[in-house]
Amino acid sequence: MGRFLSALVRFAAFCCAAILVSAGPLKPTVIPRPATAGFKCSYPGYTNCNTNRDRSCWVKKGSKRYTIDTDYEDDFPVGITRTFNLEIAEKTVSPDGFPKLAQVVNGQFPGPLIEACWGDTIVVNVRNTIKNNGTTVHFHGLRMLHENNFDGTNAIAQCPIAQGDSFTYKFQVRQYGHSWYHSHYSSQYGDGTFGPVIIHGPSTANWDEEFAPIMVHEWHHASAYDAFRESVTAPAPPQADLITLNGVGRNNELGTGSYFQQTFEKNKKYLIRITNSAVDFHFHFSIDNHMLQVVSVDYVAIEPFWTESLSVGIGQRYGVIVHANQTASANGRYWMRTEYFDGDPADSTFCQFPHANFPPNQTDTQRVGIISYKGAGSGDPKTTRWPVTVGCEDAVFKPYFKWNVTPPQNDAIKQAQYIGLDQSNEFHGAFRWTLAEQPQWLNYSNPTLLNLANTSWDSDYVLKPYTYNDPEGFVYFIINSGGGPNNLLGGTHPIHLHGHDFAILSQGLGPFDLANPVYNTANPPRRDTAMLNANGHLVLAYRTDNPGAWLLHCHIGWHAGSGMSLQILERQDEITKWIGGPAALEPAKRGCRNWTGFLERYKDDPDVFSLDRQDDSGI
């Protein structure tokens, strides 16, 4: 496959309201989408071919059809420009009746939906009005091809957006499916700075209606920043107070809050989009008596398969179709569940530490939502859970659009990593989690992208340079949980790579056999976030087709903040040209000047960030 090589023209604009813009004189094709009332896909000059009887076709233009069979990495329909305005601000919210000063988007928890269509260009104007804090916005899972400067990683792609300042992100969406956006500034997204994303496109199975994404998040009454500090000093991570679905949660200890509610109409098929937007909560998703037909994993369309429940790690997403054809419930109501497994931290099957407010051996405390058929009776559902074993292993699936992975360009065996908690060496005042030879520690005021002339780097930036220039070639990355020269403590980790989907060549319990490596290269599972088992291994492969500085990190917020991340510096000499030349870096330079000025103005204020008081990695 070739790669789409034309750089996009970039510009910054701040509009007074969110708008939809279609360009050109041709009359647009309108494809209604019911996830948000009134939302429509528009493609000037194209004809709609997507119906509830054939979701595999999307649009056509003359003899050209864009379908589930289209190589979406290289080819896509040209949509319209959609502009969104996001304000990051502080607001008191109380999803379970307990008030907390949160850091939210447009006054909402979670933030508003960013909704677009395959091939659209998205412009997001972000304004920061949080007192004393910076912010950024990262669009999780999008490749950002030619757009590394809009990846939203502070200290890598940009400085944080200072209090009172704004920044404009602009990118074209070549993938389709659903995901989320979140702040990459310190522990901020744990306090509410995140929201859902839908990119409408074709599907590998048919459905009648779709729901807005379901975002599962564990909520702390304490500040997420305080919870992080506890995570690096206490023997176990901080305890969450409740689990929320789209900001709604039932507090079992206080007896407050409420269950998430959704309605089914009998015999319809519903597309339900599940996102794990938590900080430290891995769950199994299920709906009593209803099978899940899985059609997408992260931003990858897959060959559909059926399951009773799904293991969903932090940052992972699943698109499932549910057929509303059940009659088992006496009152027409069914429980929705997010169950989890703890296990022994020394055991290879360990998932996570238990939460006292919803213990793993008390499944009734893990009921989080209610599905009601139209005309259902009152009261709680009377249904029982599926008899499934709850764990934290990824589902095995086949991507619909196939990859065959070629041998690595790098020496993967020599570059194998042992990752985990280093209990023998303190780093910045604590024992920390690491994804490389040392934990990552970043300077917000000195982003990698503004230093591309460097031939040497501060070791705290933990850079892995890959200069391989074959866009069809692969780099393999072998990760073992625990062990190594420093005898690291293992653990289960959701590993996320920015800027790429990756193929999973091997995954499971025990260290990877470096002496006799065996790789699954024939259309292996592909996604952007995968689980590394406790004391297990994960081998991923990605194409070197997107020059940039890309973050690879554990998506447990406490671990990423501890330093469990590294940067992949891909084709360093080509990055500036690839993203549009030196002018493409001007917004980041302006943002850094404003950030530096903000720090100087408040250098004597102990409540404002300073490099001397930095206590986490920066991401």
Side-chain angles (χ1 to χ4, degrees), residues 158-489:
Q158 66 180 99
C159 291
I161 305 168
Q163 176 185 332
D165 197 14
S166 60
F167 188 87
T168 296
Y169 300 89
K170 185 183 180 185
F171 47 92
Q172 190 166 28
V173 287
R174 297 162 170 81
Q175 300 146 280
Y176 48 85
H178 77 284
S179 189
W180 58 312
Y181 61 88
H182 63 82
S183 170
H184 236 302
Y185 178 91
S186 190
S187 301
Q188 195 169 77
Y189 94 73
D191 271 350
T193 317
F194 65 89
V197 175
I198 294 178
I199 311 298
H200 294 287
S203 172
T204 53
N206 297 330
W207 45 268
D208 298 306
E209 293 185 13
E210 61 180 303
F211 290 153
I214 293 175
M215 306 194 75
V216 180
H217 182 82
E218 100 273 30
W219 187 248
H220 294 259
H221 289 165
S223 157
Y225 300 91
D226 291 340
F228 167 75
R229 282 186 282 272
E230 180 183 342
S231 77
V232 294
T233 58
Q239 294 278 313
D241 291 287
L242 76 158
I243 302 302
T244 65
L245 272 67
N246 292 359
V248 175
R250 174 73 176 172
N251 189 308
N252 299 309
E253 181 182 28
L254 301 177
T256 57
S258 59
Y259 293 113
F260 175 80
Q261 303 278 343
Q262 191 61 265
T263 301
F264 277 176
E265 184 176 333
K266 192 168 179 59
N267 293 325
K268 282 192 173 181
K269 293 181 179 180
Y270 293 92
L271 175 62
I272 301 177
R273 308 174 189 268
I274 306 152
T275 299
N276 187 333
S277 58
V279 178
D280 186 23
F281 180 64
H282 186 117
F283 62 87
H284 254 250
F285 177 87
S286 65
I287 303 173
D288 289 356
N289 299 99
H290 291 78
M291 294 288 288
L292 311 175
Q293 185 184 26
V294 187
V295 294
S296 68
V297 177
D298 297 352
Y299 273 127
V300 177
I302 68 168
E303 295 181 11
F305 71 91
W306 292 89
T307 185
E308 296 163 335
S309 69
L310 277 170
S311 172
V312 190
I314 300 166
Q316 293 185 328
R317 294 91 63 207
Y318 287 90
V320 303
I321 296 172
V322 177
H323 193 178
N325 61 356
Q326 296 302 303
T327 58
S329 172
N331 63 354
R333 294 158 71 84
Y334 299 81
W335 287 115
M336 183 183 291
R337 304 172 188 265
T338 56
E339 301 178 331
Y340 76 101
F341 177 72
D342 56 348
D344 185 342
D347 192 282
S348 61
T349 59
F350 172 71
C351 285
Q352 66 185 56
F353 287 94
H355 293 274
N357 212 8
F358 35 98
N361 61 345
Q362 297 180 20
T363 57
D364 284 355
T365 68
Q366 297 159 49
R367 303 180 304 196
V368 290
I370 297 174
I371 298 289
S372 300
Y373 279 66
K374 285 190 174 180
S378 59
D380 286 346
K382 307 301 181 185
T383 55
T384 56
R385 63 183 295 274
W386 286 105
V388 296
T389 300
V390 175
C392 52
E393 293 188 352
D394 282 339
V396 178
F397 59 90
K398 294 181 180 180
Y400 184 84
F401 193 88
K402 295 177 173 58
W403 274 15
N404 290 312
V405 180
T406 55
Q409 300 175 82
N410 63 318
D411 191 335
I413 300 298
K414 286 185 178 179
Q415 295 166 355
Q417 299 284 339
Y418 293 88
I419 76 171
L421 181 65
D422 188 345
Q423 298 176 299
S424 61
N425 299 293
E426 284 198 7
F427 184 82
H428 287 271
F431 298 117
R432 295 182 178 273
W433 294 91
T434 178
L435 194 60
E437 295 76 20
Q438 69 171 71
Q440 187 176 67
W441 201 262
L442 300 171
N443 182 344
Y444 285 146
S445 301
N446 193 28
T448 303
L449 278 191
L450 299 186
N451 292 281
L452 291 176
N454 275 10
T455 55
S456 62
W457 297 87
D458 186 330
S459 61
D460 283 359
Y461 273 55
V462 194
L463 279 146
K464 300 289 182 182
Y466 292 103
T467 59
Y468 312 107
N469 58 9
D470 178 5
E472 302 301 318
F474 286 87
V475 161
Y476 289 13
F477 206 87
I478 299 170
I479 307 172
N480 291 299
S481 178
N486 291 345
N487 193 28
L488 302 174
L489 178 68

